[in-house]
Amino acid sequence: MKMIHLTDTHFVPKGETLYGGDPRQTLMRCVEDINRQHGDADLCVITGDLTHWGEPEAFESLQESLAPLRPPLQLLIGNHDKREEFLRWFPQQTVDKSGFVQGVRDFAPGRFLFLDTVQEGTPAGWYCETRQAWLAERLEDVGDRPVYLFMHHPPFRIGLEPLDRISLRQKEAFAAVVHPHRAKIKHLFFGHIHRPLSGNWLGISFSTLRAINHQCWLDFTNKDAIAGSFEPPAYAVVLFEDDRLIVHTHDFLDASVKFSLADSPVKDWAVRQAHP
Ligand SMILES: [Fe+2]
């Protein structure tokens, strides 16, 4: 199975910009690149913050921009989105019986669980007892099959204070739900961080990546506001194999010279010495 992961598209109404960037233009370039290289992917997941302010015009622009995408689409919402507005524009997306944007889909590698960590009125992640009960049931139902989790907010601190202040609030409760099932949870995908990050939590590998419009600069000295940047956007190509999960990240706007390593675009002495 092949899956595309992208995150935090932060759409604004068509024709508007955000911090000087145009998320629509960037996403359209991203969709073109995905269709050209990965039109055969089995799924494309966007892990939330689909829009920046949640207006209908922003969701409309996102819907238009995603229409040409070839792989099937799965959307999560993030703290910048408005749940009801999202469902008006993407009514085919999965919703649980309590109205949260949560769902279950089975694929060859295992069961994919898509979680809703949004509480309107706070940028922090929220996973209430109703949602915790939903997740606990889903993890129980699956038996011994492998599970892959998708959510907007990371359920743990990452060591960057301004971002940790808006991570999931119910960290201990969430970990308590996941912990008994950790052996079958093969990977956790999330967004919200706007920068590449991977590691391991409770024995579960995780990854996220840069966003579409703007990024968070890696600044450990800044304890106050989140530092922004215009590092390049990326999408991830995730390959599920029997004995491994591979996550490639692709800076699809990179404009540097591409060349064969059997040759060199710069005929300098050092290269010739290294490869006589
Ligand atoms: Fe975001």
Side-chain angles (χ1 to χ4, degrees), residues 8 10 49 80 152 192 194:
D8 292 77
H10 282 257
D49 277 2
H80 279 268
H152 179 67
H192 195 53
H194 292 233

mmCIF file of all heavy atoms in Angstrom, residues 8 10 49 80 152 192 194, ligand 1:
data_model
loop_
_atom_site.group_PDB
_atom_site.id
_atom_site.type_symbol
_atom_site.label_atom_id
_atom_site.label_comp_id
_atom_site.label_asym_id
_atom_site.label_seq_id
_atom_site.Cartn_x
_atom_site.Cartn_y
_atom_site.Cartn_z
ATOM 1 N N ASP A 8 -1.946 20.512 7.348
ATOM 2 C CA ASP A 8 -2.009 21.941 7.644
ATOM 3 C C ASP A 8 -1.976 22.808 6.377
ATOM 4 O O ASP A 8 -1.040 23.593 6.160
ATOM 5 C CB ASP A 8 -0.885 22.313 8.615
ATOM 6 C CG ASP A 8 -1.098 21.705 9.988
ATOM 7 O OD1 ASP A 8 -0.849 20.482 10.155
ATOM 8 O OD2 ASP A 8 -1.530 22.430 10.903
ATOM 9 N N HIS A 10 -4.139 25.165 5.777
ATOM 10 C CA HIS A 10 -4.455 26.544 6.228
ATOM 11 C C HIS A 10 -5.035 27.420 5.112
ATOM 12 O O HIS A 10 -4.546 28.533 4.869
ATOM 13 C CB HIS A 10 -3.199 27.200 6.828
ATOM 14 C CG HIS A 10 -2.908 26.751 8.219
ATOM 15 N ND1 HIS A 10 -3.172 27.509 9.330
ATOM 16 C CD2 HIS A 10 -2.384 25.591 8.691
ATOM 17 C CE1 HIS A 10 -2.820 26.843 10.423
ATOM 18 N NE2 HIS A 10 -2.338 25.666 10.063
ATOM 19 N N ASP A 49 -6.158 21.267 10.234
ATOM 20 C CA ASP A 49 -5.922 22.664 9.895
ATOM 21 C C ASP A 49 -6.036 22.827 8.378
ATOM 22 O O ASP A 49 -5.140 23.331 7.696
ATOM 23 C CB ASP A 49 -4.571 23.183 10.414
ATOM 24 C CG ASP A 49 -4.634 23.611 11.879
ATOM 25 O OD1 ASP A 49 -5.699 23.468 12.504
ATOM 26 O OD2 ASP A 49 -3.597 24.080 12.400
ATOM 27 N N HIS A 80 -7.784 25.014 13.734
ATOM 28 C CA HIS A 80 -8.156 26.183 12.930
ATOM 29 C C HIS A 80 -9.457 25.980 12.153
ATOM 30 O O HIS A 80 -9.944 26.919 11.536
ATOM 31 C CB HIS A 80 -7.027 26.530 11.951
ATOM 32 C CG HIS A 80 -5.911 27.325 12.571
ATOM 33 N ND1 HIS A 80 -5.890 28.704 12.561
ATOM 34 C CD2 HIS A 80 -4.803 26.932 13.227
ATOM 35 C CE1 HIS A 80 -4.798 29.131 13.177
ATOM 36 N NE2 HIS A 80 -4.123 28.078 13.593
ATOM 37 N N HIS A 152 -4.773 15.272 14.576
ATOM 38 C CA HIS A 152 -4.137 16.563 14.292
ATOM 39 C C HIS A 152 -3.071 16.911 15.342
ATOM 40 O O HIS A 152 -1.925 17.236 14.993
ATOM 41 C CB HIS A 152 -5.175 17.677 14.215
ATOM 42 C CG HIS A 152 -4.563 19.022 13.957
ATOM 43 N ND1 HIS A 152 -3.951 19.336 12.767
ATOM 44 C CD2 HIS A 152 -4.423 20.111 14.758
ATOM 45 C CE1 HIS A 152 -3.466 20.574 12.836
ATOM 46 N NE2 HIS A 152 -3.742 21.059 14.029
ATOM 47 N N HIS A 192 -0.129 19.726 12.880
ATOM 48 C CA HIS A 192 -0.096 20.740 13.929
ATOM 49 C C HIS A 192 1.276 21.365 14.166
ATOM 50 O O HIS A 192 1.359 22.517 14.564
ATOM 51 C CB HIS A 192 -0.610 20.111 15.236
ATOM 52 C CG HIS A 192 -0.965 21.078 16.319
ATOM 53 N ND1 HIS A 192 -1.821 22.148 16.144
ATOM 54 C CD2 HIS A 192 -0.587 21.118 17.637
ATOM 55 C CE1 HIS A 192 -1.944 22.800 17.303
ATOM 56 N NE2 HIS A 192 -1.211 22.205 18.211
ATOM 57 N N HIS A 194 3.911 21.717 11.968
ATOM 58 C CA HIS A 194 4.452 22.478 10.829
ATOM 59 C C HIS A 194 5.961 22.324 10.697
ATOM 60 O O HIS A 194 6.656 23.266 10.330
ATOM 61 C CB HIS A 194 4.114 23.971 10.940
ATOM 62 C CG HIS A 194 2.673 24.315 10.779
ATOM 63 N ND1 HIS A 194 2.221 25.262 9.887
ATOM 64 C CD2 HIS A 194 1.563 23.844 11.395
ATOM 65 C CE1 HIS A 194 0.904 25.374 9.977
ATOM 66 N NE2 HIS A 194 0.479 24.526 10.885
HETATM 67 FE FE FE B 1 -1.579 24.319 11.610
#
